[in-house]
C-alpha cells in the first residue's frame, strides 16, 4: 500500500490481521491532526459527490444517523444558523452546528449549543477517518477525500454519536456538489442568491441559484429568503420538480423593520399562523432581520414537522440573545471600531445600505482587505459611494494558495477606472493601518474593518488582545 501524508507525525504500529501484517496509522497530537487536515488538497478537477458517499459508507454512513437542517445561500448562512440555533436552544434542544470558516480556532466549525468541540475530540475524530482516507488514496484514481470532505465526515461522525438532538449544517460552497449534500435533512433553507465564486458556480444569478437549489431534496420542505425573480424561478422550478413545499420571505411570511435603537435592530414577523411584534437583536442591518425571519420560519416549519408546540418565548429570547462574530460586530465603543466579513459584492451592498441608513453622522474610515480572486474593484467602488466614507486599502496573508489583492495595484485600478481619487490611502501592514486610523478618530467617527473573512479573523484576534 502506498502511504501518503505528512509522515513525520504518523506513528506506524504493526499488528496481525488475517495472518498478514497491516499498518495502522495514529496521529498523536491536536496540532498533528490539523496539519493532516489542512495538508489535504482543497479541490478536485472534477467535482462529484460519489467520493464523499463512498467515504461515509466506509465509515458506516454516519450522515444517516442524524437529524439535520441544511442551510445554503450566498450570504446570511451563518447569521441565520446562529438565530435558529438560539431559538432551538431556548426551546430546550441540544443543537449541533457545522459552520465555516472559523474566526478564532478550527474547533468552532463543529459545535454543540455554540460551544466548539474539544481538542481531544478533533484528535479522536481525525484518527477515526485517517485509515479510510489512506484507503481511498490508494483506491481512487483522483486520490482520496479533500480537506473539506474530511472535516464534513468528522462532523457527521461526531453527531452520529448522539451529541445533539438536531444539527444545523451550513453548506461550504454552492450546494449541489457540496460535500454536505450527501444527507437528506428534515428541512432546507436557502438564504440569498448573489455574486460569489462565479468561476465555480456560474456567471449568472440563475446559474448560481441552480447550484444552491441542489440542496433541495424530494418532499423535504424548503424555506427561501428574499431572492430576485430570475434566480427565484430556478429555485421554485427545482422545488416543484421534487414536490418540496416552499415558504418564501415576502410571500408566505414577512418581516417589518422598525429601525435601529442603541445598536439593536427592532422588527416584527408575520406568517399565516404566527406573529411576533417588536423583536430585537444585536445583529444590526435590514439584512439581519431577513436572516432572523428565515430562522423563525425554519423554527415554525421544524415544529410542525416534529409535532412540537411553537413557543413564542423561545423565539423572542433566542433572537435577542443571538451573537455572531465578525458580522458588523462592535469590538470597541470609544472609539467605535466595527468588524464585518463583507467578503463579496452582495455583502458590501448590504453594508452600504446599513451605513447610509444609520451612520450618516461623523466620518467612517473603512479599512479593506480583500482576496485577489474576489470582485475587489467593484467592492471598493461600491463602498466609496457612501458620502462620509474614507477608504484605506491594506494587505494580509491569504489562506493556502489564495492571495490578498495587492492594495497598491487595486488602488491604481479603482482610481484610473473612476477617473478620480476613490481610495484615500494604502497602508500595506494592517496592524499599522489600524493604529494609524485609531489616532484620527473623533467622537462620532467609526473605524470599519471589512473584507475577507480570513482577514477579519486575524483582525478580531488582534483587537480583542490589544483592546482588553
Amino acid at each position: 500500500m502506498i502511504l501518503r501524508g505528512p509522515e513525520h507525525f504518523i506513528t506506524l504500529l504493526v499488528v496481525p490481521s488475517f495472518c498478514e501484517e497491516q499498518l495502522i496509522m495514529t496521529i498523536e497530537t491536536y496540532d498533528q491532526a490539523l496539519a493532516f487536515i489542512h495538508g489535504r488538497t482543497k479541490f478536485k478537477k472534477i467535482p462529484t459527490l460519489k467520493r464523499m458517499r463512498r467515504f461515509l459508507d466506509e465509515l458506516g454512513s454516519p450522515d444517516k444517523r442524524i437529524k439535520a437542517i441544511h442551510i445554503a445561500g450566498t450570504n446570511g448562512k451563518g447569521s441565520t444558523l446562529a438565530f435558529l440555533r438560539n431559538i432551538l436552544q431556548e426551546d430546550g434542544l441540544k443543537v449541533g452546528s457545522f459552520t465555516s470558516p472559523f474566526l478564532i480556532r478550527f474547533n468552532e466549525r463543529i459545535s454543540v449549543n455554540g460551544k466548539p468541540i474539544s481538542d481531544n475530540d478533533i484528535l479522536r475524530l481525525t484518527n477515526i477517518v485517517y485509515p479510510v482516507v489512506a484507503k481511498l488514496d490508494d483506491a481512487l484514481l483522483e486520490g482520496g477525500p479533500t480537506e473539506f470532505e474530511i472535516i464534513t465526515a468528522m462532523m457527521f461522525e461526531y453527531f452520529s454519536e448522539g451529541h445533539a438532538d438536531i444539527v444545523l449544517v451550513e453548506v461550504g460552497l454552492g450546494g449541489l456538489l457540496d460535500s454536505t449534500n450527501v444527507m437528506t435533512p428534515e428541512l432546507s433553507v436557502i438564504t440569498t442568491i448573489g455574486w460569489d465564486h462565479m468561476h465555480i458556480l456560474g456567471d449568472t444569478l440563475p446559474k448560481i441559484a441552480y447550484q444552491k437549489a441542489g440542496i433541495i431534496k424530494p418532499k423535504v420542505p424548503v424555506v427561501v429568503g428574499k431572492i430576485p425573480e430570475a434566480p427565484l424561478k430556478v429555485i421554485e422550478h427545482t422545488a416543484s420538480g421534487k414536490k418540496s413545499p416552499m415558504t418564501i420571505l415576502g410571500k408566505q411570511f414577512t418581516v417589518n423593520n422598525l429601525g435601529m435603537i442603541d445598536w439593536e435592530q427592532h422588527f416584527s414577523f408575520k406568517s399565516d399562523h404566527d406573529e411576533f411584534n417588536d423583536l430585537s437583536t444585536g445583529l444590526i442591518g435590514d439584512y439581519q432581520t431577513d436572516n432572523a425571519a428565515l430562522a423563525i420560519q425554519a423554527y415554525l416549519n421544524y415544529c410542525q414537522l416534529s409535532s412540537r408546540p411553537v413557543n413564542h418565548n423561545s423565539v423572542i429570547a433566542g433572537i435577542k440573545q443571538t451573537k455572531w462574530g465578525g458580522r458588523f460586530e462592535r469590538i470597541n465603543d470609544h472609539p467605535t471600531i466595527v468588524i464585518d466579513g463583507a467578503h463579496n459584492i452582495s455583502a458590501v451592498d448590504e453594508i452600504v445600505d446599513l451605513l447610509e441608513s444609520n451612520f450618516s453622522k461623523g466620518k467612517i474610515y473603512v479599512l479593506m482587505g480583500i482576496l485577489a480572486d474576489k470582485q475587489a474593484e467593484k467592492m471598493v467602488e461600491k463602498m466609496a459611494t457612501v458620502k462620509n466614507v474614507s477608504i484605506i486599502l491594506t494587505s494580509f496573508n491569504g489562506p493556502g494558495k489564495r492571495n490578498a489583492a495587492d492594495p497598491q495595484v487595486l488602488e491604481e485600478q479603482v482610481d484610473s477606472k473612476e477617473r478620480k481619487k476613490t481610495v484615500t490611502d494604502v497602508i500595506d501592514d494592517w496592524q499599522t493601518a489600524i493604529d494609524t486610523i485609531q489616532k484620527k478618530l473623533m467622537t462620532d467617527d467609526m473605524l470599519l474593518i471589512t473584507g475577507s473573512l480570513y482577514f477579519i479573523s486575524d483582525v478580531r484576534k488582534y483587537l480583542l488582545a490589544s483592546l482588553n
Side-chain angles (χ1 to χ4, degrees):
M1 181 172 73
I2 300 172
L3 303 180
R4 296 184 175 90
E7 295 179 2
H8 63 279
F9 65 73
I10 299 171
T11 299
L12 300 181
L13 304 175
V14 180
V15 297
S17 175
F18 304 106
C19 300
E20 295 179 353
E21 288 188 338
Q22 183 179 16
L23 293 174
I24 304 297
M25 305 175 187
T26 304
I27 298 172
E28 295 182 329
T29 70
Y30 171 79
D31 288 338
Q32 290 169 357
L34 292 192
F36 161 65
I37 293 166
H38 296 321
R40 299 293 298 186
T41 182
K42 302 296 187 286
F43 297 101
K44 300 288 187 181
K45 289 183 178 179
I46 301 175
T48 176
L49 288 181
K50 291 180 180 179
R51 181 177 53 254
M52 188 68 199
R53 183 67 267 159
R54 180 169 174 182
F55 186 14
L56 291 174
D57 287 346
E58 293 277 356
L59 289 168
S61 304
D63 58 301
K64 296 178 181 179
R65 301 196 299 273
I66 68 169
K67 287 186 176 182
I69 295 175
H70 206 185
I71 304 174
T74 303
N75 294 314
K77 297 187 296 293
S79 297
T80 300
L81 183 149
F83 281 124
L84 182 54
R85 179 179 66 207
N86 278 275
I87 295 171
L88 292 169
Q89 281 179 226
E90 286 293 322
D91 222 29
L93 294 176
K94 190 179 289 186
V95 187
S97 299
F98 181 58
T99 57
S100 59
F102 60 92
L103 274 182
I104 304 298
R105 298 194 79 224
F106 174 82
N107 306 40
E108 296 168 28
R109 301 188 74 160
I110 304 172
S111 69
V112 178
N113 284 0
K115 182 180 179 181
I117 65 173
S118 69
D119 291 1
N120 286 337
D121 277 324
I122 294 292
L123 177 58
R124 178 177 63 83
L125 293 165
T126 305
N127 275 307
I128 290 173
V129 303
Y130 188 92
V132 179
V133 173
K135 177 179 179 180
L136 295 179
D137 275 344
D138 278 345
L140 301 177
L141 289 175
E142 75 273 20
T146 65
E147 177 185 15
F148 189 69
E149 287 169 344
I150 289 170
I151 301 167
T152 304
M154 290 168 62
M155 175 272 295
F156 281 133
E157 180 67 28
Y158 182 77
F159 288 121
S160 74
E161 297 169 353
H163 299 289
D165 302 311
I166 183 73
V167 185
L168 310 182
V169 178
E170 180 185 329
V171 166
L173 175 61
L176 180 65
L177 295 172
D178 187 75
S179 62
T180 62
N181 201 33
V182 291
M183 67 175 182
T184 298
E186 309 294 303
L187 178 70
S188 303
V189 180
I190 300 175
T191 57
T192 59
I193 300 295
W195 302 102
D196 201 10
H197 301 293
M198 287 92 75
H199 60 296
I200 297 173
L201 303 180
D203 56 2
T204 69
L205 291 184
K207 287 180 182 178
I208 294 171
Y210 175 77
Q211 295 292 326
K212 307 290 185 186
I215 71 165
I216 299 174
K217 301 296 190 302
K219 298 182 180 179
V220 173
V222 55
V223 180
V224 179
K226 200 174 287 182
I227 291 173
E229 184 177 356
L232 180 59
K233 285 183 178 178
V234 173
I235 297 171
E236 288 177 322
H237 178 76
T238 302
S240 175
K242 296 184 178 181
K243 298 180 180 179
S244 303
M246 287 185 69
T247 46
I248 304 170
L249 178 57
K251 294 185 178 181
Q252 287 80 22
F253 63 104
T254 59
V255 62
N256 181 30
N257 285 294
L258 303 174
M260 189 186 89
I261 304 172
D262 294 331
W263 284 81
E264 276 198 338
Q265 197 78 30
H266 294 258
F267 65 102
S268 60
F269 170 97
K270 187 176 182 180
S271 68
D272 292 340
H273 306 291
D274 294 272
E275 188 170 352
F276 300 88
N277 294 307
D278 199 24
L279 295 162
S280 63
T281 175
L283 297 183
I284 63 174
D286 290 353
Y287 57 95
Q288 290 294 11
T289 61
D290 287 350
N291 295 332
L294 282 170
I296 294 170
Q297 186 60 47
Y299 167 71
L300 297 176
N301 283 23
Y302 180 69
C303 286
Q304 183 180 15
L305 290 168
S306 54
S307 300
R308 295 176 62 87
V310 172
N311 188 328
H312 281 230
N313 289 332
S314 294
V315 172
I316 295 166
I319 294 296
K320 189 171 183 64
Q321 293 173 15
T322 298
K323 297 178 180 178
W324 194 235
R327 277 65 173 183
F328 214 82
E329 179 185 9
R330 184 170 53 165
I331 297 291
N332 197 63
D333 291 336
H334 305 290
T336 301
I337 300 176
V338 175
I339 62 172
D340 190 278
H343 61 288
N344 54 44
I345 190 65
S346 300
V348 171
D349 285 341
E350 292 170 344
I351 294 298
V352 166
D353 290 342
L354 173 60
L355 295 177
E356 290 179 338
S357 300
N358 297 285
F359 296 96
S360 58
K361 189 177 181 182
K363 191 166 187 176
I364 304 170
Y365 295 87
V366 180
L367 179 63
M368 301 184 74
I370 309 168
L371 285 173
D373 56 1
K374 297 289 182 176
Q375 296 176 296
E377 289 179 55
K378 290 184 178 180
M379 292 167 70
V380 174
E381 291 163 10
K382 182 65 177 181
M383 193 68 77
T385 61
V386 182
K387 293 180 180 179
N388 56 330
V389 149
S390 179
I391 294 176
I392 301 91
L393 300 180
T394 192
S395 188
F396 64 100
N397 293 323
K401 296 180 180 179
R402 301 175 72 189
N403 297 319
D406 186 309
Q408 298 282 354
V409 173
L410 183 56
E411 178 194 31
E412 293 171 5
Q413 291 171 335
V414 172
D415 285 354
S416 62
K417 187 176 179 181
E418 293 290 295
R419 292 189 176 86
K420 63 180 180 180
K421 185 68 175 174
T422 301
V423 178
T424 303
D425 201 0
V426 173
I427 305 176
D428 284 320
D429 182 79
W430 60 262
Q431 294 183 4
T432 300
I434 290 173
D435 295 340
T436 301
I437 298 167
Q438 271 189 266
K439 294 172 184 176
K440 298 179 181 180
L441 295 176
M442 307 295 285
T443 302
D444 294 325
D445 295 345
M446 175 198 299
L447 167 56
L448 169 61
I449 306 167
T450 189
S452 165
L453 288 167
Y454 299 99
F455 172 49
I456 294 305
S457 173
D458 291 341
V459 168
R460 192 173 191 270
K461 293 175 196 173
Y462 172 75
L463 288 175
L464 290 178
S466 61
L467 293 172
N468 292 331

